[in-house]
């Protein structure tokens, strides 16, 4: 084991810093009429993420760069952005996994009103979310635990993982052209309760989603499933809700 | 901080979505139902027209169609094909118009034009299938195709 200690300096040298070019789509509503691309150079370690590149720009080069982030560990869902044309979380995307020989393009997610740089107005997204009544509804008083079998819990396990980052909804071409569409995230969160054996309002939610702007707008593009940083099978969840609407029960 | 200092939500709930009779579910089901039937109808249509009849695409002419429509089986087959595919196609176009046309007036105009043209094509097509007569009585022999007895 002693040899390991001796080798350590050599191993540390092996971690090479590299320079990456970041192309950020900037927009300042006070100055710009149109968004514009701005180039930055950043010094990165292979273990750095796109979020670290953004931090380096904001902290060392241009303090006016505006973006959301909170947890920096893929939990809070605040830093979904379009990186090289794909929706991802900046805090879960390693620089070394991108093609560094070319500039890395970073822009705000699409389909929601752009406010500044990488920040969009999330309100339309949350409005749809609220409309599906994403909370447990039960007539019995919560005096003791509401029991559920492991199988009943597994039925909706996948959709409990959503962090409301909007990567799915803002990757959906139907949502891009029709902002009235509920969008994949709202349907995922409806699915979470529709298939929960403890909930008593499934029919209400199925009725809400059996709307002109509900599940039938989905065209099975699979963009949402590809975008989801939590690996949720979004398109499958939507298909299950469609089938439940047709049955009239979960 | 007391709750009275918490401001009201920045923007109110969007205007309540209208709860009217909802055709989207039936449209969705129709696209799938007609799609499955169309696979069978189109496959058989292509097979009889292009493969079974040896001559391939060059063998399809007025006489070929006349021959097929003398058989009630193909009349019904082609009527089904016409109605299912045309309604399927125009409902699909309706979806695409709803996708891309954001101006409500232009959208309404295009949807009405789509509906009108589909109705005209359906009626005209059905009329042709059931009134088709390759050798109408009383025509000039020079106007008739070669296979007619009057020729
Ligand atoms: C082989 C038989 C066919 C099958 C299985 C089929 C199936 C489908 C399905 C399932 C959809 C709905 C897609 C969605 O909602 O996401 C669709 C859409 C559509 N179909 Fe067909 N179809 C067939 C033939 C046809 C024909 C012959 C036409 C033209 C007359 C046509 C025109 C359309 C159009 C315009 C759309 C809308 C496209 C869109 O939603 O972007 N299809 N088809
Ligand atoms: S389903 Fe996935 S992509 Fe969509 S909001 Fe939830 S975590 Fe984000
Ligand atoms: S910063 Fe919280 S998910 Fe990325």
């Amino acid at each position: 084991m002693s040899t390991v200690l001796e080798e350590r300096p050599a191993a540390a040298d092996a971690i090479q810093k590299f320079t990456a070019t970041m192309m950020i789509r900037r927009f300042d509503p006070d100055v710009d009429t149109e968004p514009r691309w701005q180039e930055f150079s950043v010094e990165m370690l292979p273990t750095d993420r796109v979020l670290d590149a953004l931090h380096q720009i904001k902290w060392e080069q241009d303090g006016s760069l505006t973006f959301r982030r909170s947890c920096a560990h893929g939990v809070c869902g605040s830093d979904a952005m379009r990186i090289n044309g794909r929706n991802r979380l900046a805090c879960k995307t390693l620089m070394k996994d991108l093609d560094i020989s070319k500039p890395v393009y970073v822009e705000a997610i699409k389909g929601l009103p752009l406010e500044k740089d990488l920040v969009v107005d999330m309100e339309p997204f949350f409005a749809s979310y609220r409309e599906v009544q994403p909370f447990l509804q039960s007539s019995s008083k919560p005096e003791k635990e509401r029991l559920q079998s492991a199988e009943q819990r597994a039925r909706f396990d996948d959709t409990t993982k959503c962090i409301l980052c909007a990567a799915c909804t803002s990757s959906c071409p139907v949502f891009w052209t029709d902002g009235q569409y509920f969008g994949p995230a709202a349907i995922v969160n409806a699915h979470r309760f529709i298939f929960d054996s403890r909930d008593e309002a499934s029919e209400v939610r199925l009725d809400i989603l059996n709307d002109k702007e509900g599940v039938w707008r989905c065209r099975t593009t699979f963009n949402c499933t590809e975008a989801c940083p939590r690996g949720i099978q979004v398109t499958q969840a939507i298909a299950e809700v469609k089938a439940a609407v047709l049955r009239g029960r979960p | 901080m007391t709750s009275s200092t918490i401001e009201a939500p920045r923007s109110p709930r969007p205007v309540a979505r209208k709860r009217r009779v909802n055709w989207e579910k039936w449209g969705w089901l129709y696209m799938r139902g007609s799609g499955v039937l169309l696979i069978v109808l189109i496959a058989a249509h292509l097979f009889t027209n292009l493969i079974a009849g040896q001559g391939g695409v060059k063998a399809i002419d007025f006489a070929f169609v006349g021959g097929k429509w003398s058989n009630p089986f193909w009349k019904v087959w082609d009527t089904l094909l016409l109605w299912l595919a045309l309604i399927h196609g125009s409902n699909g176009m309706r979806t695409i118009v709803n996708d891309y046309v954001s101006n409500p007036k232009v959208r309404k105009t295009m949807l009405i034009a789509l509906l009108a043209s589909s109705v005209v094509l359906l009626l005209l097509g059905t009329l042709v299938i059931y009134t088709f007569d390759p050798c109408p009585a009383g025509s000039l022999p020079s106007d008739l195709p070669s296979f007619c007895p009057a020729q």
Side-chain angles (χ1 to χ4, degrees):
Chain A
M1 290 307 276
S2 61
T3 53
V4 172
L5 272 176
E6 278 156 34
E7 276 170 20
R8 204 187 262 160
D13 280 345
I15 299 174
Q16 287 282 315
K17 280 206 162 194
F18 59 88
T19 307
T21 309
M22 306 293 291
M23 290 289 279
I24 317 271
R25 195 161 181 261
R26 305 289 309 267
F27 176 68
D28 180 352
D30 292 338
V31 184
D32 302 321
T33 47
E34 281 291 310
R36 62 198 155 80
W37 289 96
Q38 191 178 351
E39 193 177 318
F40 295 95
S41 252
V42 285
E43 281 277 293
M44 291 277 102
L45 292 167
T47 48
D48 279 336
R49 306 153 299 168
V50 171
L51 182 65
D52 297 302
L54 295 176
H55 278 154
Q56 202 178 101
I57 295 169
K58 184 169 178 73
W59 294 339
E60 295 168 19
Q61 302 183 31
D62 182 349
S64 72
L65 180 67
T66 307
F67 56 92
R68 286 196 185 100
R69 69 102 174 83
S70 183
C71 69
H73 290 84
V75 181
C76 70
S78 49
D79 64 342
M81 45 189 84
R82 209 167 137 93
I83 299 165
N84 281 350
R86 278 189 54 189
N87 281 2
R88 312 165 194 247
L89 296 178
C91 64
K92 275 186 84 170
T93 309
L94 285 176
M95 288 296 285
K96 72 173 173 64
D97 293 341
L98 301 169
D99 181 1
I100 309 295
S101 65
K102 296 196 203 104
V104 175
Y105 287 83
V106 182
E107 58 192 305
I109 48 178
K110 297 222 282 177
L112 291 162
L114 186 59
E115 291 198 322
K116 190 177 180 188
D117 292 346
L118 304 176
V119 172
V120 295
D121 179 6
M122 297 283 280
E123 186 47 33
F125 171 80
F126 286 122
S128 294
Y129 170 62
R130 285 193 298 267
E131 252 185 88
V132 301
Q133 311 189 359
F135 39 83
L136 192 86
Q137 297 176 55
S138 177
S139 49
S140 64
K141 287 212 184 78
E143 282 160 345
K144 54 181 169 57
E145 283 176 74
R146 297 196 169 94
L147 296 178
Q148 187 168 52
S149 71
E151 294 77 51
Q152 288 172 327
R153 175 62 177 71
R155 181 66 193 86
F156 60 94
D157 183 64
D158 202 32
T159 45
T160 61
K161 297 173 188 158
C162 177
I163 55 174
L164 292 171
C165 66
C168 55
T169 296
S170 64
S171 74
C172 173
V174 176
F175 184 77
W176 291 339
T177 53
D178 175 10
Q180 295 290 308
Y181 171 42
F182 276 87
I187 302 172
V188 159
N189 286 280
H191 180 286
R192 154 72 184 81
F193 290 99
I194 288 169
F195 294 97
D196 187 335
S197 58
R198 299 164 298 182
D199 187 88
E200 287 166 21
S202 298
E203 272 79 12
V204 178
R205 293 193 197 86
L206 291 176
D207 190 47
I208 291 169
L209 289 174
N210 181 17
D211 182 276
K212 189 170 181 298
E213 304 294 349
V215 285
W216 312 118
R217 295 248 84 189
C218 164
R219 311 267 276 287
T220 328
T221 318
F222 278 97
N223 279 20
C224 49
T225 303
E226 240 168 73
C228 180
R230 305 284 296 160
I232 297 171
Q233 297 299 310
V234 182
T235 312
Q236 185 185 331
I238 298 174
E240 286 173 6
V241 175
K242 281 176 187 165
V245 175
L246 290 177
R247 277 195 305 272
R249 62 187 167 74
Chain B
M1 196 168 76
T2 65
S3 63
S4 60
T5 63
I6 298 172
E7 284 180 55
R10 275 164 302 167
S11 36
R13 253 172 81 91
V15 194
R17 294 169 205 266
K18 286 190 212 107
R19 321 246 75 235
R20 289 170 293 136
V21 192
N22 171 28
W23 297 103
E24 294 299 321
K25 180 171 95 181
W26 299 109
W28 187 89
L29 274 173
Y30 178 81
M31 291 309 265
R32 272 118 196 111
S34 60
V36 170
L37 291 173
L38 280 171
I39 292 177
V40 179
L41 289 167
I42 294 175
H45 173 82
L46 293 177
F47 180 78
T48 44
N49 285 13
L50 301 173
I51 300 165
Q54 261 91 57
V57 72
K58 289 190 200 72
I60 297 179
D61 56 8
F62 190 80
F64 182 85
V65 178
K68 253 182 118 186
W69 280 351
S70 61
N71 181 346
F73 176 82
W74 287 117
K75 281 194 180 181
V76 173
W77 194 275
D78 284 4
T79 313
L80 277 173
L81 201 51
L82 172 72
W83 281 73
L84 287 169
L86 205 89
I87 296 174
H88 177 102
S90 35
N91 188 45
M93 287 306 295
R94 180 189 68 93
T95 309
I96 295 172
V97 167
N98 283 337
D99 274 350
Y100 289 107
V101 187
S102 49
N103 181 323
K105 272 188 196 143
V106 179
R107 182 190 286 205
K108 187 143 203 178
T109 314
M110 292 184 79
L111 291 178
I112 290 173
L114 194 60
L115 179 69
S117 57
S118 311
V119 170
V120 169
L121 286 171
L122 280 176
L123 296 180
L124 213 58
T126 313
L127 187 76
V128 168
I129 294 175
Y130 289 98
T131 59
F132 184 74
D133 180 358
C135 311
S139 313
L140 288 174
S142 57
D143 286 348
L144 291 176
S146 56
F147 58 83
C148 288
Q151 248 283 347

